[in-house]
Every structure is written in C-alpha cells, then in structure tokens.
Amino acid sequence: SNNHLSTGTTNQTGSNDTNNNGGTTMVIGQGLGGQIHTTPTLGINGILTPSLGFLSQSSQQHLPYTNSNSNLLRTCDPNTIFRYSARRNKDDLHYSPYSLSPLSPASIRLLRSPRKQLRKIPKTPFKVLDAPELQDDFYLNLVDWSSTNILAVGLNASVYLWNANTSNVTRLCDLQTESDTVTSVAWSDRGQYVAVGTHKGIVQIWDVATNRKTVSFPRHTARVGALAWNDLCIYSGSRDRFILQNDTRSNKQERKLAGHRQEVCGLKWSPDRQLLASGGNDNRLLVWNQSCSNPIQVYTDHTAAVKAIAWSPHQQGLLASGGGTADRHIRFWNTLTAQNLQSIDTGSQVCNLAWSKHTNELVSTHGYSQHQIVVWKYPSMLQLARLTGHTFRVLYLAVSPDGESIVTGAGDETLRFWNVFTKCRANKESDSVLNLFNKIR
C-alpha cells in the first residue's frame, strides 16, 4: 500500500486525541482505495512520528511517554503545537523561574509580608497612690488585689481598701488598740474575706461586706509574714518557722507543717490547689501536698532567702522562684519531675514574681540595687520591658483581676500602677492529633 504523511484534508476524519506527553494526534480513517492516512505527532524529545490508524486502542495506550510531573510544559490549544504555557503553583506567584536570587519562594513571600507590630509597654505608671507608713521590710507581704477589683494594703497598724472601680478608700481595721501591727494581707478566692497577719503571730479573718472580724487564730509565736488561701482554709507562715493550716468555718487548727529552719516569707498555691510552695530565710524552697505533713520536694539551689514564688497558669507543675541579694537568680522548676529547668541572673535582689494570666510572660520586682520592674518572655527569658520609678526596693506586687495591670509598692511609700500584660493569647494550641491535651474537656 502507498502510505504517506498527510497534512492536508482527507476524505474521512476520525476523532481527536491528546497524548500524555503534550503532543496532538489526529488519526485519519481509511480513505479511497484502502489507503491509510496518518498525521504528524509530537512524540518523545520533540520528534515527529507517524501514528497509524489501524493500531488497536490498547496498543495506543502504551505508546506515549508519560510523566507525572505537573510542572511540565503543556499545550494550551489542542489544534496547534506551537503555543505553550507553564503550569505554576500558587506558592510560586511573583517568583520568576529565571531569577538569580538564592532565596526560595517561601523566603521571598516572608520578606514581602507586612512587618508584625511589636507590643509597646508604657514606661510610666498610669496611677500613683500615696501609702504612708508602708514598711520597708523584705519578709512582709502587705499588698493584695482581690477578684472583685479591690486593693488591700497594710499600713502600720491599719488595713485600707481601695476600690479600683470607684477609687473610694475605706479603713477595714485598726490594730492600735491591740498594740499590734499588720505584717501580711491576703484576699480569699471569691473576694469576700481578708486575712490579716500581725506582728504578734495572730491571723485575723475580716468580712469585707460588714467590716467585722469573724474569727481569730492566735497560734503562732512570732510575726506572720506570709498568707495563702485554699478554699475556706487559711495557711500562714511565720518567723517561728512553722506553716499552720486553719479552717475558718470550724475555728480549728488542721495541720502544722514543719520543714523550714528560719522564717517563712513566701507561700503560694498551685492553680489546681493541689501543691503548696513555701520559701524561707533558710534559702530553701519546699513543695507540700494536702495529704502529707512533710515536704514532698526540697530545693536548695538558692543561696539567699526565697520570698518570690509563682506558679505558671499555662504549664502544669512549672514553678518559678527568686532569691535575695546574695543569690539574684530566677529559677524554674518542673515539680512533676523535680528538675531544675533553667536559671537566670537578674543582677539584683528578687522580691516578687507573677505570671501573666493570658500569655507566657512573667514580671519580677527587684530590690538592691536596681529597684526596677522587669517583664520577661518565657522560656527565652527575653526582657520585654524594664520599668523604673521607685526609689526604694520594690517589695510588694499584686496583679489585677483582669490580668492586664500590676501594682507595686516600695519603701518610698508609694503604690504605682502599670500596664504590662495583654489579654491577647500569643500562642495558639496545636491542632496536631499527637497533642493528647486537645481531646481533654
């Protein structure tokens, strides 16, 4: 038979078929005289090859060269072989394949994205209150902020309440008639009662609504410098080295915890109210539970008194503590494994620590010799802000109920209010199926 390549018009035309390799094939049916007509096909490596019409369909399926790469050049119009277009991914936008830049498309996209605005922390307090006769004593805790937005301050022999909503000031109690002074104050969880520790070793419970003393516990033999509530039980730490648990409903002493060798100056409950951390002038940090009279963990890395204690509300078992003038370190502990995670030298006496309720940040107040307030980013411990203004040691610290503001007190007899935290959560929870905590409600 006389077979020839035909590019013109034939008598009978079959169907159009596009090969996987990017070429176009037109199969010509049987013409006059039984001749078989073929049309050029763009084959492998751009070589024109004839395509025979009498090949079976199964045979034709194995002839073309196939490639799974979606980035190969493909024809846009099936009627021509001279017009091509490159199929690009969405990530390759604004990126030329002929660019000589060593940067990847992802890096270029990152550089072109808008710059993230840095959070600015005001360097000056938004409010300053006079606090005459506020004692300059490292071992006392004379300032606390309630969940109802009322600030309690111990000034010499009296306890004053400042309402942050109305700015009204009232005097809760006066111990001058008892020849006693205030050494510590602490609000109950619901903001209904205020516990007042005195120089004579007495713990008094006052009802804020009625301004009346409901119960008194004269159990300590020395001043009470630290207080901590757990439901309706009050825990008190004293210079007599003991921690006492008293139930405000039954007026009974529940437990007596003995573990410190000198004055107890720091007490803090974990967020789940299962563990109690205590710090003392014996340079020791102890961890207690509710079922044992002996400490379950003892940390002795500090080389000075441990007053600054704070539990993280974001990570279970994470405890931060700060040392006095001879130590100057903030140390982080994993109480689940009893390990020292890290420590940082702050350069000055650490008086108080407090975590942000919304972000993984914490604030520390300092005494000798810088008298400053520092906001830290955990766990990198990058300093976000350094606030100055007090002229004496910043011995007292409390966080507002909304978690945005703090109040600091010092021996310069002033209370200063600062905006240091934000309500926006910086870290989103991982959606990975490997995160077991995602399924816990």
Side-chain angles (χ1 to χ4, degrees):
S1 60
N2 296 324
N3 294 337
H4 63 276
L5 296 177
S6 174
T7 59
T9 305
T10 60
N11 296 331
Q12 185 176 356
T13 304
S15 60
N16 293 339
D17 184 25
T18 302
N19 290 337
N20 293 333
N21 60 3
T24 303
T25 303
M26 181 178 291
V27 180
I28 308 301
Q30 188 174 8
L32 295 176
Q35 293 182 347
I36 303 300
H37 301 272
T38 61
T39 189
T41 303
L42 183 62
I44 305 174
N45 298 328
I47 302 176
L48 292 176
T49 57
S51 175
L52 300 180
F54 58 83
L55 292 177
S56 64
Q57 184 176 1
S58 61
S59 301
Q60 294 179 13
Q61 293 178 353
H62 297 285
L63 287 177
Y65 170 76
T66 60
N67 194 326
S68 60
N69 190 353
S70 61
N71 292 326
L72 289 178
L73 296 179
R74 296 173 180 267
T75 59
C76 293
D77 189 356
N79 296 325
T80 179
I81 63 174
F82 299 108
R83 298 167 66 183
Y84 295 89
S85 66
R87 184 176 289 184
R88 295 181 180 179
N89 296 326
K90 295 181 180 180
D91 294 339
D92 295 339
L93 295 177
H94 311 294
Y95 178 74
S96 173
Y98 307 105
S99 175
L100 300 179
S101 173
L103 300 177
S104 65
S107 300
I108 294 178
R109 185 169 58 254
L110 179 62
L111 292 175
R112 289 177 177 175
S113 62
R115 186 174 183 179
K116 184 178 180 181
Q117 295 293 333
L118 296 178
R119 179 166 59 91
K120 294 183 179 179
I121 300 177
K123 299 291 185 180
T124 57
F126 64 87
K127 184 183 288 293
V128 178
L129 297 178
D130 290 328
E133 298 185 284
L134 184 62
Q135 299 186 54
D136 184 23
D137 194 325
F138 175 80
Y139 301 97
L140 306 185
N141 294 273
L142 297 174
V143 178
D144 197 18
W145 209 330
S146 74
S147 58
T148 57
N149 208 15
I150 299 178
L151 190 70
V153 184
L155 301 177
N156 197 9
S158 302
V159 174
Y160 290 88
L161 303 181
W162 179 77
N163 192 320
N165 298 319
T166 62
S167 297
N168 293 332
V169 179
T170 58
R171 185 165 65 178
L172 178 65
C173 64
D174 188 359
L175 305 182
Q176 284 186 352
T177 57
E178 304 173 12
S179 301
D180 207 348
T181 57
V182 179
T183 53
S184 57
V185 295
W187 283 96
S188 60
D189 296 335
R190 298 182 180 180
Q192 183 180 359
Y193 301 103
V194 176
V196 179
T198 72
H199 190 271
K200 292 184 177 180
I202 303 173
V203 178
Q204 301 179 0
I205 308 299
W206 287 78
D207 190 336
V208 178
T210 61
N211 274 28
R212 296 180 58 185
K213 181 171 62 175
T214 60
V215 66
S216 180
F217 303 101
R219 307 278 166 76
H220 289 286
T221 59
R223 69 178 183 182
V224 179
L227 295 168
W229 284 86
N230 190 341
D231 196 11
L232 292 178
C233 292
I234 183 68
Y235 288 73
S236 55
S238 171
R239 182 181 273 183
D240 61 12
R241 304 170 299 171
F242 297 114
I243 301 172
L244 300 183
Q245 175 190 352
N246 294 288
D247 193 334
T248 58
R249 296 163 295 185
S250 61
N251 196 13
K252 295 193 311 181
Q253 178 179 319
E254 301 291 334
R255 284 197 303 167
K256 183 176 182 180
L257 306 179
H260 287 283
R261 301 170 184 173
Q262 293 188 37
E263 180 175 7
V264 179
C265 52
L267 281 179
K268 286 294 173 62
W269 278 100
S270 61
D272 58 4
R273 295 297 191 266
Q274 298 299 316
L275 298 177
L276 174 66
S278 65
N281 197 31
D282 55 359
N283 310 343
R284 301 184 353 143
L285 175 67
L286 307 182
V287 178
W288 315 76
N289 61 15
Q290 295 187 4
S291 59
C292 184
S293 297
N294 296 320
I296 59 174
Q297 294 175 6
V298 178
Y299 301 107
T300 59
D301 291 19
H302 285 289
T303 57
V306 181
K307 177 193 176 185
I309 301 173
W311 292 89
S312 171
H314 312 291
Q315 183 176 341
Q316 183 181 4
L318 177 58
L319 176 63
S321 61
T325 308
D327 183 78
R328 306 187 308 266
H329 281 75
I330 299 177
R331 304 181 188 273
F332 297 90
W333 316 89
N334 185 348
T335 58
L336 302 179
T337 59
Q339 291 179 340
N340 185 352
L341 299 178
Q342 63 172 315
S343 63
I344 180 171
D345 189 351
T346 64
S348 58
Q349 179 187 41
V350 184
C351 301
N352 291 280
L353 289 172
W355 289 86
S356 168
K357 298 179 180 180
H358 308 291
T359 58
N360 210 9
E361 300 171 357
L362 72 158
V363 60
S364 61
T365 66
H366 300 271
Y368 299 127
S369 58
Q370 301 181 22
H371 307 163
Q372 62 183 355
I373 304 159
V374 182
V375 183
W376 308 85
K377 179 68 176 179
Y378 183 83
S380 63
M381 294 308 290
L382 175 68
Q383 286 192 16
L384 301 180
R386 181 180 297 179
L387 311 176
T388 57
H390 286 289
T391 57
F392 280 66
R393 296 181 296 173
V394 189
L395 298 176
Y396 311 110
L397 170 69
V399 183
S400 63
D402 62 3
E404 289 188 351
S405 305
I406 63 170
V407 58
T408 57
D412 55 11
E413 298 184 349
T414 62
L415 296 174
R416 299 174 185 263
F417 296 80
W418 317 77
N419 278 324
V420 296
F421 293 136
T422 176
K423 282 187 176 181
C424 301
R425 293 188 177 272
N427 300 326
K428 296 182 178 180
E429 292 293 335
S430 174
D431 294 332
S432 172
V433 295
L434 299 179
N435 189 350
L436 302 179
F437 297 99
N438 286 341
K439 304 302 181 182
I440 299 179
R441 293 185 178 180

